[in-house]
Amino acid sequence: SIYEMFGNECCLSTGEVIKVIGFKINKLIASICENNAVSQFSAKVELPLNFPGLYKVVADKTPYVSVEEITRKVSIGPTRFGHPCFYSPEDIKLANFTVKHGEQITFNSVEEINGTMAVNCVVIRNNQSHSFTLPLSQEGKFYECEDDQIYTLKEIAEWKIPKCRNRIVRLSDTLRMWDFSNILPENFDGCLILRPVYEVQAVMKFRKDIVHILSDLDVEVKDVTDCYDISSFLQPLSLEDVFERTSMEFPMVAEIMEGPSGIQKPYNLLSAGKEIVIYKKSQAARILSSEIRSDSPKRHFLIPMSYKGRFKRRPREFPTAYDLEIARSEKEQLHVVATKAFTSPHKELFSVSVGDQFLVQQCQTSEILYDGRKKVVDVLACEQILSGTYKKVLLPMYMEGGFVEVIHDKKQYHLSEICKEFPLPFNVKVSVRDLSIEEDVLAAVPGLQFEEEITDSYLLISSASSPVESWEIPVYRLNVLVHLLSKDVQSVVPPVTKTTVEEISKEQYYMLRRYENQTLHPPPRPPKKPT
């Protein structure tokens, strides 16, 4: 059979042995969803996996009838996406534990325990974590739990569409900035049914690349697994697979089977056919930063702590008095100018005019007269700067005004100094670029906001043929497949690590903010006007 693969004809000869290494969703067919079903008036459109937007997954109303069915149809794995949650409408009585009906059960991993395949599960009860196992033979009704996270289409395709099922999704309200009008079906209101179209991923004995075969290709095949030596085939590994290896297995030499196209380092090391040395895996810190600009779109960056450029401070803007309280620090007094007028409804509190300057002191309480009664409210104590003197004033914490910071500090800072001395978010501009980087993308950005410090997974690599410098590559943001080579590493000590500022997409930015903020408690809401 001859078929077209990415625009090239490919031949599958009679008798050729193919090792199937996986099934992957190639694209999605989207339809308008009405009452959990495809609308009879909806057209069907093809969506590529890189289609923009972030989506919430709607819980499947159809139950699974056993744990074994869940493990067959639902992706369970070591990454943060691979921990699906279910509940049972009936109590599940185990030897040492009873799962109550309606409790959320998190499925973490599948393994063999005393000769029986089982799923490692967790239930959170009264803020206590309870671990237990469910055998695959456990029967009963298991329903998907509601999922409040947001995902890209690619993440949904890889982790959130069970085999032999469709998936209903809703476009996240936070990202309606994209214009979908020319792509999605008419009358799109944010809810879609996604039907996956699969491809078979395979390797051939005398080829080093991955063969992608569409699932609707008309080819007859026979299973010869039991009578063939499959060790003669290459074993493709993703960067996630490599990262899951134990630290003792590093360093290793690998050949790229599939990788991104790019001419800049380190991406030029990852094109198909290149050989690399993978020295180690690590968790590394990055500063998540965004370009300061009023119009859209903003650029987003991940800056390593090894960045050698220097920064000067830029003024921050504060929409409310409450934001001034959050931003103030013991290190220096916050000096601001009002950019918006505010008339206080209470004589005890100060009315602000545009151009008024203040030194922010502290949060405190104050009595005001409200409808003839005394009421205690939170206020922000400040000193108004007048010509040659200062006046103590109280600003209501609920005040919606506008302030811009006055910067007196002319010092140039390294990234590590800013992270140590100031709370984030923090506004800066590059004053001295990093001369060790061929093209420092940050130097051309008029202003940056350092938003938060994140920790992410990286592999340290270099060229196998010319290991003069090493690079940290992100595990979860690059689509790379490698196979390991039986070659000795010339030196287990990696060459000097080069600094890379990674520019990330809007979707990747929201993904990183989402994961970091899962572990943080949101700040309290600003006080409301007294009622």
Side-chain angles (χ1 to χ4, degrees):
S1 297
I2 297 176
Y3 69 98
E4 190 173 290
M5 182 177 67
F6 303 121
N8 300 313
E9 284 190 348
C10 182
C11 179
L12 293 178
S13 305
T14 301
E16 187 158 21
V17 180
I18 300 172
K19 179 184 176 183
V20 176
I21 60 172
F23 298 90
K24 184 179 179 182
I25 294 176
N26 176 268
K27 57 188 175 183
L28 297 164
I29 306 298
S31 308
I32 298 294
C33 178
E34 282 185 4
N35 300 320
N36 294 329
V38 175
S39 168
Q40 59 178 324
F41 303 109
S42 172
K44 292 180 172 61
V45 296
E46 284 189 7
L47 297 181
L49 300 189
N50 61 356
F51 187 71
L54 294 174
Y55 305 82
K56 284 194 172 183
V57 169
V58 177
D60 196 337
K61 304 298 183 186
T62 305
Y64 296 85
V65 297
S66 68
V67 172
E68 187 271 337
E69 184 189 8
I70 292 175
T71 60
R72 277 193 296 107
K73 295 185 176 181
V74 179
S75 297
I76 301 172
T79 75
R80 52 199 171 198
F81 304 113
H83 304 306
C85 297
F86 299 88
Y87 70 90
S88 168
E90 306 289 338
D91 288 356
I92 302 175
K93 296 182 179 179
L94 305 171
N96 302 316
F97 188 71
T98 298
V99 181
K100 297 178 182 178
H101 65 275
E103 279 190 312
Q104 179 171 298
I105 309 168
T106 302
F107 284 43
N108 284 330
S109 62
V110 182
E111 66 175 300
E112 186 176 336
I113 302 174
N114 299 326
T116 302
M117 295 302 295
V119 179
N120 292 311
C121 302
V122 170
V123 162
I124 305 296
R125 184 184 297 167
N126 298 325
N127 294 324
Q128 293 288 321
S129 177
H130 300 273
S131 300
F132 57 95
T133 60
L134 287 177
L136 267 59
S137 58
Q138 180 75 46
E139 295 184 344
K141 290 185 176 180
F142 294 89
Y143 291 88
E144 258 190 346
C145 294
E146 294 292 338
D147 187 346
D148 62 355
Q149 297 303 312
I150 52 177
Y151 304 94
T152 64
L153 275 190
K154 185 174 184 292
E155 290 172 343
I156 291 171
E158 291 178 353
W159 291 96
K160 297 299 176 182
I161 299 185
K163 294 181 178 65
C164 306
R165 296 195 183 195
N166 297 333
R167 173 59 83 189
I168 300 175
V169 299
R170 290 188 180 278
L171 182 66
S172 173
D173 288 337
T174 58
L175 288 179
R176 289 185 177 270
M177 61 195 73
W178 280 301
D179 181 13
F180 297 105
S181 57
N182 297 326
I183 305 170
L184 291 177
E186 194 176 351
N187 301 322
F188 170 64
D189 65 351
C191 190
L192 293 171
I193 291 184
L194 303 178
R195 180 176 65 82
V197 178
Y198 289 89
E199 67 176 29
V200 176
Q201 296 173 300
V203 289
M204 297 181 181
K205 193 168 183 178
F206 301 108
R207 294 182 61 156
K208 288 187 175 182
D209 56 342
I210 308 287
V211 179
H212 302 261
I213 307 171
L214 291 180
S215 57
D216 57 359
L217 185 67
D218 187 14
V219 176
E220 291 186 5
V221 296
K222 180 181 179 181
D223 186 357
V224 294
T225 306
D226 295 335
C227 55
Y228 199 87
D229 179 17
I230 60 172
S231 63
S232 60
F233 287 90
L234 299 176
Q235 177 60 49
L237 299 172
S238 66
L239 295 185
E240 292 95 325
D241 296 328
V242 174
F243 193 82
E244 291 300 319
R245 299 251 168 161
T246 64
S247 297
M248 297 295 292
E249 296 177 73
F250 295 88
M252 58 185 70
V253 181
E255 181 177 348
I256 307 296
M257 300 181 72
E258 284 187 0
S261 57
I263 58 173
Q264 289 187 327
K265 295 179 179 179
Y267 304 111
N268 62 339
L269 304 179
L270 302 176
S271 54
K274 293 283 184 72
E275 292 184 9
I276 60 171
V277 179
I278 307 174
Y279 290 96
K280 64 178 181 178
K281 63 178 183 177
S282 66
Q283 298 286 319
R286 295 289 188 271
I287 299 300
L288 182 60
S289 309
S290 294
E291 184 180 18
I292 299 174
R293 58 187 298 171
S294 56
D295 56 337
S296 192
K298 295 180 180 179
R299 298 168 71 188
H300 307 285
F301 306 93
L302 286 173
I303 309 174
M305 292 300 183
S306 60
Y307 181 81
K308 299 179 181 63
R310 285 186 286 177
F311 301 92
K312 280 188 174 181
R313 297 173 62 174
R314 278 201 53 174
R316 291 172 287 178
E317 295 182 2
F318 307 99
T320 69
Y322 179 71
D323 294 295
L324 296 177
E325 161 61 16
I326 293 175
R328 73 180 183 87
S329 70
E330 301 299 326
K331 178 179 171 58
E332 62 178 355
Q333 197 160 36
L334 183 59
H335 178 189
V336 295
V337 177
T339 57
K340 184 178 178 181
F342 171 79
T343 302
S344 172
H346 311 289
K347 65 179 183 179
E348 300 90 347
L349 304 181
F350 190 69
S351 292
V352 176
S353 301
V354 174
D356 284 349
Q357 297 191 45
F358 302 95
L359 296 176
V360 179
Q361 302 292 328
Q362 63 188 21
C363 175
Q364 62 186 57
T365 57
S366 177
E367 277 190 351
I368 62 169
L369 201 62
Y370 186 79
D371 286 345
R373 294 177 298 162
K374 288 186 177 181
K375 200 174 183 84
V376 176
V377 296
D378 290 326
V379 295
L380 188 65
C382 299
E383 287 185 341
Q384 184 188 12
I385 302 174
L386 302 171
S387 53
T389 185
Y390 299 91
K391 175 184 177 184
K392 293 186 180 296
V393 298
L394 299 176
L395 304 181
M397 200 69 81
Y398 62 79
M399 167 188 169
E400 293 185 7
F403 302 91
V404 64
E405 184 178 19
V406 178
I407 300 292
H408 301 283
D409 182 3
K410 305 301 181 184
K411 181 181 174 181
Q412 297 183 99
Y413 291 90
H414 287 104
L415 182 59
S416 58
E417 293 176 311
I418 292 174
C419 295
K420 182 179 179 180
E421 297 182 24
F422 301 101
L424 303 184
F426 196 75
N427 292 0
V428 297
K429 173 178 171 51
V430 173
S431 56
V432 179
R433 73 178 186 89
D434 187 341
L435 298 176
S436 70
I437 302 177
E438 290 182 9
E439 184 180 350
D440 186 352
V441 294
L442 299 182
V445 178
L448 281 169
Q449 181 174 78
F450 293 164
E451 296 183 5
E452 59 186 318
E453 181 177 331
I454 70 163
T455 301
D456 208 358
S457 303
Y458 291 88
L459 294 171
L460 185 66
I461 70 162
S462 75
S463 166
S465 60
S466 179
V468 294
E469 54 194 16
S470 62
W471 307 83
E472 286 181 328
I473 61 170
V475 172
Y476 295 109
R477 287 185 297 281
L478 287 178
N479 292 320
V480 176
L481 286 175
V482 305
H483 71 94
L484 302 183
L485 302 176
S486 301
K487 289 186 177 182
D488 292 331
V489 178
Q490 296 176 2
S491 173
V492 296
V493 179
V496 61
T497 303
K498 302 290 284 186
T499 298
T500 307
V501 175
E502 184 185 355
E503 184 167 357
I504 59 175
S505 68
K506 186 191 301 287
E507 287 176 308
Q508 290 170 338
Y509 166 78
Y510 279 101
M511 293 301 101
L512 289 166
R513 291 305 302 266
R514 171 187 67 180
Y515 295 129
E516 288 301 311
N517 291 335
Q518 280 182 4
T519 59
L520 300 174
H521 295 292
R525 295 174 65 86
K528 296 181 179 179
K529 295 180 182 180
T531 55

